[in-house]
Structures are given as C-alpha cells and as structure tokens.
Amino acid sequence: MDHATTRLAVSTVIFALRQEDGGAPTLWTPFVLRTRQPHLDQWALPGGWLPAHEDLDSAAARTLSETTGLHPSYLEQLYTFGGVDRSPTGRVVSVAYTALVRTDEVDRAAPGENVRWFRADALPRLAFDHNAIVDYALARLRTKVEYAHIAHTFLGETFTLAQLRSVHEAVLGHALDAANFRRSMATSTDLVETGEVLAGTPHRPPKLFRYRTAESTRS
C-alpha cells in the first residue's frame, strides 16, 4: 500500500425508525452498493471524498443528498477513523457523522436504486471498516438517548410518553417497563405537558409532551 498520500473522506451513519407489520418500531440505517473495486458489490456507508474547497459539514450533507436523497435536520460529527490499513488502495482517513431522520422524511426522500435499508442490529458484512463505524455510532446513540433530547428528532416537536418509550426501546434494543418509564418521565424536568392530547385515538386520548427549551427554563 502506498502511504505517501493520505486522502480525506466523509461517511455518515443515518438512523431512522421503521415500523413493520404493526410491530414495535426498530432502528434502521441505509447503505449504498459499491459499483467498483475495492469491495465491489458490497454495501457501504453513504459518503465520498472531501474536496479542497468544501468544509466537512457541507460535504457530509451533500454526499447524503446525492446518495440517499435525505436532508436530515440532525447531523453531528461522530469520530475520525484513520487506521493505516482501512483501505487497500492507500491511506484514507474518514470523518464519520451521525444523522437522525424521521420516518416521514425517509418516505419523502427519493433514494437511488443502489440504496438499501438494513436493521441497525442485523447488518451484512460491509465494505472497509464500516461495520465498526456503525457499531461505534450505535453505542454513542444509546448513551445519548439517556440524557440528550435525541428522541424528538425521531418524533417531532410533540409526542406521547408511549411514543417516547418506543424510541428508547428501538435505540436500546430491548423492551422497557411501561410503568417504570412513565414514572421516570413524570419526575423529569426536561419534559413539559403541552396541554393538548393526541387526536384520533379510540380510547382516552394520551397527553402530548415536548422537551423544555432553554427559553422556558429561564422564564
């Protein structure tokens, strides 16, 4: 391998919730089929080379749009992967990002025919070290869902406690006790009742909540 030249690339791990056959939502992520060597016909994370004239965030957003048709509102730099032997064609350092998108945003996107979604916990063998990148992104997401306002990125601005629990369960990969979760959220200072309820439910309509903003915290 020629290590004289180091190339810089961006890659993005996209997470979205999907609900199949009426079951509980699960976490999914899309990949792009490689059409050339190395790793021909293997799935890889969306991404591309970093041009000299473009900053990292812009390159990550652009490559996402070009490969998947997605324009996520949440896009955060995750980690830099720079293993010496991560590419057989030369030294490649990849700045990885995490993107979170809502289901309706996925439905509106028009991805190419070489894009396929897989469950985040049941991935095929990916190109390069992309399995390790997804594993790292998933571990970080599971940590952040416990203390950051990650869930509203999947749900929107308002949500029920049951919807919020379904996000936590999908990210963590296991079921949570509904009563314990409700008690935990009831004592949280981060959630605020909106005074509204979810319309169109056959039984008693559940309350809608939102996350407390910095402005409401100061008021």
Side-chain angles (χ1 to χ4, degrees):
M1 183 192 300
D2 178 15
H3 300 293
T5 301
T6 299
R7 301 193 69 182
L8 189 61
V10 293
S11 300
T12 302
V13 184
I14 307 165
F15 290 119
L17 296 184
R18 282 190 167 186
Q19 190 171 6
E20 294 192 323
D21 301 325
T26 51
L27 203 61
W28 291 67
T29 184
F31 298 92
V32 180
L33 187 68
R34 286 190 58 80
T35 57
R36 60 182 181 277
Q37 296 289 0
H39 302 293
L40 176 67
D41 293 332
Q42 279 190 269
W43 297 101
L45 288 168
W49 300 115
L50 178 69
H53 66 277
E54 194 172 24
D55 62 52
L56 286 165
D57 291 358
S58 297
R62 174 184 54 79
T63 54
L64 271 187
S65 175
E66 291 175 351
T67 56
T68 68
L70 293 169
H71 303 273
S73 56
Y74 181 97
L75 184 65
E76 180 184 47
Q77 194 172 127
L78 172 68
Y79 194 72
T80 299
F81 294 84
V84 174
D85 297 320
R86 60 185 306 271
S87 173
T89 61
R91 185 72 188 275
V92 177
V93 175
S94 184
V95 180
Y97 281 76
T98 299
L100 307 181
V101 294
R102 296 195 306 272
T103 302
D104 60 333
E105 293 173 320
V106 175
D107 293 339
R108 290 197 302 267
E113 59 182 11
N114 289 333
V115 176
R116 181 181 298 177
W117 289 76
F118 293 90
R119 274 189 59 158
D121 59 355
L123 300 181
R125 173 83 175 180
L126 303 174
F128 306 107
D129 57 352
H130 290 187
N131 285 91
I133 296 176
V134 177
D135 288 345
Y136 186 88
L138 186 55
R140 284 285 300 274
L141 183 66
R142 284 172 172 167
T143 300
K144 294 187 72 170
V145 77
E146 298 290 352
Y147 67 87
H149 297 178
I150 293 297
H152 92 274
T153 308
F154 290 115
L155 294 172
E157 291 303 317
T158 62
F159 43 82
T160 68
L161 290 183
Q163 290 171 335
L164 184 61
R165 177 167 54 87
S166 73
V167 172
H168 282 248
E169 290 177 335
V171 171
L172 296 173
H174 60 79
L176 298 173
D177 181 80
N180 287 341
F181 184 84
R182 181 175 293 276
R183 282 194 294 269
S184 174
M185 292 300 103
T187 60
S188 172
T189 59
D190 292 331
L191 293 183
V192 179
E193 289 190 32
T194 65
E196 301 175 346
V197 296
L198 182 66
T201 56
H203 305 292
R204 181 181 178 183
K207 297 177 181 179
L208 287 172
F209 293 79
R210 62 172 173 82
Y211 277 108
R212 187 183 300 276
T213 62
E215 289 74 14
S216 62
T217 302
R218 290 194 297 266
S219 60

